[in-house]
Amino acid sequence: MTVRPTWDPQQYLRHAGHRTRPFLDLLARVDAPAPACIADLGCGAGNVTALLADRWPAARITGYDNSPQMLERAERYAGPLLDFVHADAATWGPDEATYATYDLIVSNALLQWVPDHADRFPAWLDALTPGGTFAFQVPGNFTAPSHTILAALRDSPRWRGRLGGVGERAAAVLEPGDYLTRLTALGCEADVWETTYLQVLLGKDPVLDWVKGTALRPVLTALADDPQASEAFVAEYAEALRGAYPTGPHGTVFPFRRIFAVARKGDGLS
């Protein structure tokens, strides 16, 4: 079952520090001295798009997202050279772009929500100038307890009639080697790597609080018209998460694997 989640910017940004760190690590590997035009696919609340503007203040930057809630929040960062536009990454391409070509296209924690997103790479590379850069990072933790428990609960006898398959993305993200193969086959010079962050989360049920901003959104959206059912599901999920991620003396350790890629398009010179 496909459910387009309703996003909650406030909930998402509750862990802004942890969520921003992979983007900063991605950005550190981007060698683009003076890009004139930049696209941020899946700009979300706009906070990481603003970091692009900090690094390249003379660049024309557009953040794209399909969530009205996120775009409304992002508008606080808008300025003369930074704007935000509604678009769906599943169909976005150079024909729909406000600007014909980009020197840099970035995507931060979006592509796991775009089925078969690697098939979109040729169109996105077409939107780059020769020698331009495509950089993205995605979560690679779909076999972690946070996701396997959620999938098992959704598909349990109690919930499968309403939630079977809702938000399923286990096959959405490729392995690092597969991204490397795809990008180099398209003529790119690619740098692909992975990192597992041992995030220390604080507070009551911190892993639940984390997934309420991301992985749990499709379920919360599907049950939005039935608060009692939503509360029951969340309570059952929270109990299972406590067992999988016990709280230690300094907080709850939440391992989070991320996959990164920075691809430079050929410059067309021979």
Side-chain angles (χ1 to χ4, degrees):
M1 183 188 306
T2 300
V3 173
R4 173 167 288 185
T6 299
W7 292 95
D8 181 342
Q10 184 174 349
Q11 179 66 41
Y12 183 83
L13 292 171
R14 281 173 57 81
H15 299 275
H18 285 305
R19 297 196 192 281
T20 303
R21 183 182 175 188
F23 181 75
L24 293 173
D25 289 346
L26 176 71
L27 208 56
R29 302 283 280 271
V30 173
D31 182 14
C37 289
I38 301 173
D40 180 8
L41 291 184
C43 63
N47 54 308
V48 298
T49 319
L51 296 176
L52 296 171
D54 290 341
R55 178 166 174 182
W56 294 289
R60 187 69 176 86
I61 303 171
T62 300
Y64 295 95
D65 208 282
N66 66 1
S67 166
Q69 295 84 6
M70 287 293 199
L71 288 171
E72 181 180 0
R73 179 66 178 252
E75 277 298 321
R76 67 185 59 193
Y77 297 105
L81 294 177
L82 174 58
D83 63 350
F84 298 93
V85 175
H86 185 276
D88 192 329
T91 57
W92 183 87
D95 290 340
E96 298 180 35
T98 305
Y99 306 97
T101 56
Y102 295 89
D103 303 297
L104 173 63
I105 297 174
V106 299
S107 182
N108 180 59
L110 162 75
L111 301 185
Q112 71 274 17
W113 297 99
V114 183
D116 302 317
H117 56 263
D119 293 340
R120 299 293 301 155
F121 288 176
W124 297 342
L125 291 172
D126 282 346
L128 282 175
T129 55
T133 300
F134 171 42
F136 65 87
Q137 70 91 6
V138 290
N141 66 329
F142 294 101
T143 60
S146 55
H147 286 69
T148 58
I149 290 171
L150 178 60
L153 187 56
R154 283 192 323 245
D155 294 332
S156 66
R158 180 180 181 184
W159 298 105
R160 76 166 63 101
R162 299 183 67 173
L163 299 174
V166 167
E168 178 57 48
R169 292 171 294 134
V173 170
L174 305 183
E175 288 298 309
D178 295 321
Y179 283 124
L180 181 66
T181 297
R182 292 280 194 124
L183 292 166
T184 54
L186 292 168
C188 293
E189 178 184 328
D191 178 17
V192 180
W193 72 98
E194 63 177 86
T195 298
T196 298
Y197 299 93
L198 298 182
Q199 300 176 161
V200 179
L201 305 181
L202 304 176
K204 181 181 178 181
D205 290 326
V207 177
L208 175 67
D209 195 61
W210 173 278
V211 296
K212 278 184 176 180
T214 51
L216 195 56
R217 297 311 307 173
V219 169
L220 295 176
T221 301
L223 297 178
D225 62 347
D226 190 342
Q228 185 174 1
S230 180
E231 183 177 345
F233 184 93
V234 170
E236 194 172 346
Y237 184 35
E239 182 177 1
L241 288 175
R242 290 184 207 115
Y245 299 97
T247 299
H250 304 293
T252 300
V253 178
F254 181 53
F256 204 112
R257 177 180 178 241
R258 298 275 185 162
I259 298 169
F260 303 79
V262 176
R264 182 180 179 274
K265 181 179 177 177
D267 57 18
L269 301 178
S270 58

